[in-house]
Amino acid sequence: MRTSWMKRQQYLGYLFIGPNMIGVMLFFIVPALYSFYLMFTDYKFMSSETKFVGLANIQKMLGDEVFYISIKNTLFFLLSVPISIGLAFIVAVALNRSVYLKKLLRALYFMPYITSGVAVAFVWMLLFHPNNGPINGILKSFGMTNPPGWLSTMDSSMYAVDIIWIWFMLGYNMIIYLAALQEVSTELLEAAKIDGARPWQTVRTILWPLVSPTTFLLLITGLIMTIKQFGIIQAITQGGPGNSTTVLSLFIYQNAFRYYEMGYASAISWALFLIIMIFTVIQWIGQKRWVHY
């Protein structure tokens, strides 16, 4: 009797996860396998013919200068992740205390994350305008005679993109940290206060170690999300000026939907997949030293 009941429970579980698994198969696994096949062809979107070319796309990718530029830009783009996480932790600790208009401030910090990427791009293009933008206006008011060109120059464009992404992700990271801080035992904080610990010592020795699993989660998801991000960059710079803001995800998009070279774009996609896997493995190995469960 118990065996038949357990079987019915299993069938019911399969029934619930079935629609989601079908979606994963149709929209993730099958396209991934098809892109792996396309990597070895010269398939172009506007052509009906598909010719097997072996490793030609991989050789082309390894000899493409823009590919290496996009890797360098992607790695620089990833620096925004730990910066955003660090700032979000500081803001979360501040807003977790008795602060005037605390709920309003939390909402204001989170609003950029739910704002349209196109709207974000348009606003920051105005803010970073080299001549009439308010950011350079403020810098000039402090005596800087030659402020950065930001999005208009190759030297500073990637810095501007990083600033935008840090601002965009700050609210999301803050909300996750706030949820983690709510689970910290007040007894530990009271004991630290009785022992004479200063606020910064409490944050460093109690709060930061206790939310390390949350930090690990935000680090993994943030790096993956940042590596795959191209929408904001496409809306702001389209990879320019030159290729100074071309990241791997945008490079894939350009080859697939601007030049219609699906085979070559698939090869770059799998290179991006390998990079994500390497970063994930490194994080899983390293988290044993600093994540405390």
Side-chain angles (χ1 to χ4, degrees), residues 45-65:
F45 187 73
M46 302 301 293
S47 175
S48 59
E49 297 181 0
T50 302
K51 181 181 177 182
F52 183 79
V53 295
L55 300 177
N57 285 321
I58 298 176
Q59 293 174 347
K60 179 182 177 181
M61 179 182 67
L62 296 177
D64 193 340
E65 182 182 359

Side-chain angles (χ1 to χ4, degrees), residues 19-289:
N20 187 53
M21 292 304 299
I22 293 173
V24 170
M25 288 288 295
L26 290 178
F27 299 109
F28 289 93
I29 296 178
V30 172
L33 294 176
Y34 186 58
S35 71
F36 186 79
Y37 161 73
L38 290 180
M39 180 171 61
F40 302 102
T41 69
D42 67 343
Y43 175 69
K44 291 181 172 54
F45 187 73
M46 302 301 293
S47 175
S48 59
E49 297 181 0
T50 302
K51 181 181 177 182
F52 183 79
V53 295
L55 300 177
N57 285 321
I58 298 176
Q59 293 174 347
K60 179 182 177 181
M61 179 182 67
L62 296 177
D64 193 340
E65 182 182 359
V66 181
F67 173 69
Y68 295 104
I69 293 174
S70 65
I71 290 179
K72 183 190 72 173
N73 292 337
T74 300
L75 294 177
F76 190 83
F77 193 28
L78 291 177
L79 293 177
S80 63
V81 176
I83 296 174
S84 179
I85 289 175
L87 292 175
F89 176 73
I90 295 172
V91 174
V93 170
L95 294 183
N96 194 46
R97 301 182 178 185
S98 298
V99 180
Y100 187 63
L101 296 177
K102 179 170 60 177
K103 293 183 179 180
L104 176 62
L105 290 173
R106 289 178 179 180
L108 290 176
Y109 272 106
F110 187 67
M111 280 182 63
Y113 186 74
I114 59 176
T115 305
S116 168
V118 176
V120 169
F122 180 73
V123 170
W124 278 99
M125 287 172 66
L126 296 177
L127 293 174
F128 277 134
H129 193 280
N131 298 321
N132 303 318
I135 292 178
N136 276 359
I138 294 173
L139 294 177
K140 290 177 182 178
S141 68
F142 281 101
M144 183 179 290
T145 57
N146 188 25
W150 299 115
L151 297 170
S152 61
T153 62
M154 296 181 65
D155 294 333
S156 59
S157 56
M158 204 63 214
Y159 290 97
V161 170
D162 271 24
I163 291 172
I164 296 170
W165 189 243
I166 291 170
W167 172 84
F168 183 78
M169 291 299 298
L170 181 63
Y172 170 78
N173 294 334
M174 178 209 67
I175 289 295
I176 302 299
Y177 268 132
L178 279 173
L181 290 172
Q182 299 296 320
E183 300 298 323
V184 176
S185 174
T186 57
E187 295 178 355
L188 290 174
L189 301 178
E190 291 174 358
K193 187 176 181 180
I194 293 173
D195 289 340
R198 296 182 178 180
W200 66 270
Q201 291 175 322
T202 302
V203 171
R204 182 175 61 86
T205 60
I206 297 178
L207 294 182
W208 179 251
L210 287 178
V211 299
S212 58
T214 302
T215 304
F216 179 58
L217 170 68
L218 291 176
L219 192 60
I220 285 184
T221 56
L223 288 175
I224 293 175
M225 189 182 304
T226 303
I227 287 177
K228 297 190 301 180
Q229 175 60 223
F230 82 96
I232 290 180
I233 299 177
Q234 170 67 14
I236 297 174
T237 64
Q238 294 82 46
N243 290 305
S244 60
T245 58
T246 300
V247 294
L248 273 173
S249 54
L250 182 60
F251 190 44
I252 294 169
Y253 172 82
Q254 290 173 344
N255 280 281
F257 301 106
R258 181 180 298 177
Y259 309 123
Y260 302 113
E261 296 185 2
M262 294 296 179
Y264 186 44
S266 297
I268 305 170
S269 299
W270 280 94
L272 178 61
F273 172 75
L274 289 176
I275 292 174
I276 293 175
M277 285 296 297
I278 291 171
F279 271 100
T280 304
V281 170
I282 291 174
Q283 290 175 86
W284 274 106
I285 295 174
Q287 60 95 17
K288 296 178 182 180
R289 300 193 175 194

